[in-house]
Amino acid sequence: MCGQQDNLIQLETRVQILVLGRRPSFRTGGTRSGYLQISRRPATDMLRREIRMRRYRQWLLLSTELQDPGDPLSKYTNEEFEEIYRFSKESFCHLLNMIQGDLERSDNRGRPLPAVYQLLIALHFYCSGSYQKVVGDQHGLQVSQPTVCRTIHRVSEALAKRYSQFVRFPSVHEAADIHSKFYEVAQFPNVIGAIDCVHMRISNPGGAMAEQCKNSKGWYSVNCQVVAGPDLRILRAIVRWGGSVPDWQIYENSRLKEVMEQGEYGHLVGDSAYQCQRYLLTPVVNPTTHAEKCYNRAHSATRRKVKRVIGIVKRRFPCTSQELRSNPKTSCAIILSCFALHNFALERQGPPDDSEAWYAPDDGPQDRYTGDYDPEGESYRQHIIYEWFSHDPSGISYPQEEASCGNQTWH
């Protein structure tokens, strides 16, 4: 009898550990029969309550009727769908076919969302910047905020993994055509791309990353480097540095610098946050001669391409204009996905009609490079100024907007 009683006590102890997450309290008595006395009623009630809750959750899953996955596409007209999701239905289906394999699950555990709904939820978040709970209530399903968060993470990771399919740096054979297109903007020679950095707001990551992500203005951000082409396409994007890292340091530690130093692509144009180098030209900070002012004016008009690209991305995907409340890894995946989708939209639908008027609100730090100067870079810039801008510029036409460089402005 004592052996059977001890086995019963051990069995119910295990039940309480599984249900309550802790060992039960014991009461000692004067005899062996009263040595270990356990209250069986709380363990039984907790176990029954857990069983009822599991059956209720299963009933909810079985009673929920998912809409037809094809219904969201037929719910709106083409114009309405493009206004909400920034893509036509044809482009949406093409994008879905690219990443559908990463969104679908092999099992049906937990009634997972169909891939079409996952992409719709992620695009709605990108294009609205709304709270995740609000996004989850927009598609006929009462999707919880944690599910929306996981869905955005899953879709962003799938798009970021295919980043190289959307964003591609030109080959050496394509460089001459890009030089010609950039020259048509403001007669600035041998430009392969316009480079700039933009700070994307994120929430405080906490811990050691907090100081890495705090920029000079005191808020938390990811400093993203973007290289844009003459047709508003993104040629290269780097999204992995905290807001405390200056622009020039991102370029110095990038693969892009090694590619440019091969000498087969011409040069980049960037603002005063970069060091003037042989393959990255910056404006003259304090121009004195007429040739230097003409150089700065052409330089600013050419560099404005990357400003327009950043402005288009922020207006097409407003989530990049607001504070991203995900962890830093997911935030970087979201930003990189928006850059990739920008190129995808240009390829499938062309540039927006009012793209010329889209400029990025420049509220980020405006730090100027204060390190050592590069003699070769300074000498090459003077060579460009003398060869291309020291002659009579009467035949050169610049955009009518103001051309600015650092704290200097010319009309």
Side-chain angles (χ1 to χ4, degrees), residues 260-315:
M260 294 302 301
E261 288 180 346
Q262 295 175 5
E264 299 177 341
Y265 286 97
H267 47 251
L268 301 166
V269 289
D271 58 17
S272 299
Y274 294 94
Q275 180 191 39
C276 183
Q277 301 178 5
R278 170 61 178 82
Y279 302 105
L280 199 166
L281 295 179
T282 60
V284 179
V285 177
N286 295 308
T288 56
T289 66
H290 182 73
E292 289 177 346
K293 293 181 180 180
C294 290
Y295 166 86
N296 274 4
R297 193 176 295 117
H299 186 281
S300 178
T302 306
R303 197 179 74 248
R304 193 176 293 118
K305 286 292 183 179
V306 69
K307 294 291 186 183
R308 289 172 180 166
V309 168
I310 295 173
I312 292 174
V313 171
K314 286 193 171 185
R315 285 196 54 182

Side-chain angles (χ1 to χ4, degrees), residues 24-319:
S25 58
F26 301 112
R27 294 180 298 177
T28 59
T31 62
R32 181 174 178 82
S33 60
Y35 178 65
L36 293 175
Q37 295 182 3
I38 304 174
S39 177
R40 298 180 176 84
R41 184 175 182 81
T44 304
D45 292 345
M46 289 290 293
L47 186 58
R48 290 176 178 174
R49 188 180 300 112
E50 179 68 20
I51 293 174
R52 288 197 299 267
M53 290 299 298
R54 289 182 180 179
R55 290 177 177 174
Y56 177 69
R57 287 193 292 267
Q58 293 175 357
W59 176 82
L60 285 179
L61 289 174
L62 294 175
S63 62
T64 301
E65 296 182 359
L66 294 177
Q67 297 182 3
D68 182 9
D71 183 63
L73 300 182
S74 60
K75 182 179 180 181
Y76 304 103
T77 64
N78 291 329
E79 293 75 13
E80 292 173 341
F81 188 88
E82 188 169 352
E83 182 179 358
I84 297 174
Y85 299 104
R86 303 295 194 271
F87 293 99
S88 64
K89 293 183 179 180
E90 181 182 357
S91 300
F92 174 84
C93 293
H94 183 77
L95 182 63
L96 179 63
N97 291 333
M98 294 179 64
I99 64 174
Q100 189 170 6
D102 293 335
L103 303 182
E104 292 181 342
R105 291 174 50 176
S106 57
D107 57 358
N108 201 33
R109 182 180 178 183
R111 300 291 297 276
L113 288 173
V116 62
Y117 275 108
Q118 296 185 49
L119 184 55
L120 284 173
I121 288 174
L123 288 179
H124 194 180
F125 173 76
Y126 298 158
C127 301
S128 65
S130 302
Y131 289 102
Q132 295 178 356
K133 177 59 179 175
V134 178
V135 173
D137 296 336
Q138 298 296 319
H139 305 282
L141 298 175
Q142 298 298 322
V143 182
S144 64
Q145 183 274 328
T147 301
V148 174
C149 181
R150 290 191 296 268
T151 299
I152 294 173
H153 172 78
R154 189 180 301 112
V155 175
S156 300
E157 288 289 339
L159 291 172
K161 187 170 65 174
R162 289 170 173 78
Y163 161 81
S164 59
Q165 299 181 19
F166 301 99
V167 179
R168 184 181 62 85
F169 198 74
S171 64
V172 177
H173 302 289
E174 298 170 331
D177 183 54
I178 295 179
H179 293 168
S180 177
K181 291 181 180 179
F182 265 120
Y183 186 80
E184 295 175 358
V185 176
Q187 287 74 52
F188 204 102
N190 300 330
V191 178
I192 191 64
I195 187 172
D196 197 9
C197 284
V198 56
H199 286 259
M200 301 293 189
R201 291 179 178 266
I202 62 173
S203 59
N204 184 356
M209 294 192 64
E211 291 302 320
Q212 299 177 14
C213 295
K214 180 183 288 187
N215 56 41
S216 59
K217 283 196 171 182
W219 41 276
Y220 301 95
S221 64
V222 176
N223 197 3
C224 310
Q225 180 177 274
V226 178
V227 179
D231 54 356
L232 302 180
R233 289 178 59 88
I234 296 177
L235 305 180
R236 182 68 65 90
I238 299 177
V239 185
R240 64 171 182 267
W241 295 89
S244 64
V245 181
D247 299 359
W248 64 268
Q249 187 174 343
I250 297 178
Y251 176 74
E252 289 293 326
N253 292 276
S254 67
R255 168 65 178 164
L256 177 62
K257 181 182 179 182
E258 299 178 6
V259 173
M260 294 302 301
E261 288 180 346
Q262 295 175 5
E264 299 177 341
Y265 286 97
H267 47 251
L268 301 166
V269 289
D271 58 17
S272 299
Y274 294 94
Q275 180 191 39
C276 183
Q277 301 178 5
R278 170 61 178 82
Y279 302 105
L280 199 166
L281 295 179
T282 60
V284 179
V285 177
N286 295 308
T288 56
T289 66
H290 182 73
E292 289 177 346
K293 293 181 180 180
C294 290
Y295 166 86
N296 274 4
R297 193 176 295 117
H299 186 281
S300 178
T302 306
R303 197 179 74 248
R304 193 176 293 118
K305 286 292 183 179
V306 69
K307 294 291 186 183
R308 289 172 180 166
V309 168
I310 295 173
I312 292 174
V313 171
K314 286 193 171 185
R315 285 196 54 182
R316 176 175 277 151
F317 307 110
C319 69

